[in-house]
Amino acid sequence: QSNYADIEKVIGIWIITEEIPKELQNTATRYYLNKEDYIGITDEPKEDYDLMEIIMIRRGEYPDITEPLFEYLKSVYDADIATIDKYTPVSANPELREEVSTMPGMSQVIFNQGFSQGMSEGMTQGISQGIAQGISQGAEEKHKNDIKQLADYFMKENTEMTLEQATEMAEKILK
């Protein structure tokens, strides 16, 4: 059984990086619950009902970054440790400094994901093409074999026919 008083506020931070309309780029918006009494008036403290919040950060192009939030996010995505250190004192913590120095930037993570997906799709396409080529080669071999068998049959039926004549006749029939 849950106790209503034990419910903690949840804040979700969404960082949007793709397909952002130009007018929404480089903006941050806070969405939260608000109370409105319809019938009667309640004297309920805000902390009892304001339990969800979403902060939506929309990245964009950065010609002249002046807002620290966007400068910091750009440094994280670009793995710019000097700028990250400006906002988060990683130098003061050797363990954190080690983590930050070995972490790839988000751009590298996105590149790696795209590279892996591309390799996977490329291998799938290559295998498919290989199978199709194998089937095509198999069909070609079968066709050659059919021509040879038919040419052999013609030569048995007409002993005066040359292999070249029999093959030509078989090729015309099996087109």
Side-chain angles (χ1 to χ4, degrees), residues 50-61:
D50 185 23
L51 298 173
M52 289 191 316
E53 187 172 318
I54 296 171
I55 299 172
M56 189 176 297
I57 301 168
R58 299 171 202 87
R59 295 183 68 222
E61 297 174 18

Side-chain angles (χ1 to χ4, degrees), residues 135-160:
I135 289 170
S136 175
Q137 286 175 347
E140 189 176 309
E141 289 298 317
K142 183 180 181 325
H143 184 66
K144 285 180 184 178
N145 191 36
D146 290 346
I147 290 171
K148 183 182 180 309
Q149 286 179 354
L150 191 55
D152 288 345
Y153 172 77
F154 291 149
M155 289 186 350
K156 272 187 198 175
E157 293 297 315
N158 183 351
T159 55
E160 294 179 13

Side-chain angles (χ1 to χ4, degrees), residues 60-76:
E61 297 174 18
Y62 297 96
D64 297 314
I65 299 174
T66 57
E67 180 60 46
L69 170 65
F70 292 106
E71 182 183 35
Y72 177 74
L73 285 175
K74 182 180 184 321
S75 68
V76 169

Side-chain angles (χ1 to χ4, degrees), residues 69-134:
L69 170 65
F70 292 106
E71 182 183 35
Y72 177 74
L73 285 175
K74 182 180 184 321
S75 68
V76 169
Y77 277 75
D78 293 346
D80 177 358
I81 295 171
T83 305
I84 293 171
D85 196 37
K86 177 177 160 183
Y87 294 98
T88 306
V90 293
S91 298
N93 184 330
E95 290 175 15
L96 186 58
R97 177 73 181 170
E98 177 65 27
E99 288 287 325
V100 170
S101 67
T102 59
M103 79 174 189
M106 287 302 291
S107 57
Q108 183 65 43
V109 170
I110 291 166
F111 171 81
N112 291 346
Q113 288 171 347
F115 182 78
S116 294
Q117 181 180 354
M119 287 296 291
S120 175
E121 289 174 9
M123 289 182 71
T124 300
Q125 184 178 358
I127 290 168
S128 298
Q129 286 175 347
I131 290 170
Q133 186 176 10

Side-chain angles (χ1 to χ4, degrees), residues 12-29:
I13 300 174
W14 299 355
I15 300 174
I16 315 300
T17 60
E18 297 177 1
E19 299 181 27
I20 306 165
K22 192 77 171 165
E23 67 275 6
L24 294 177
Q25 290 184 14
N26 300 320
T27 62
T29 306

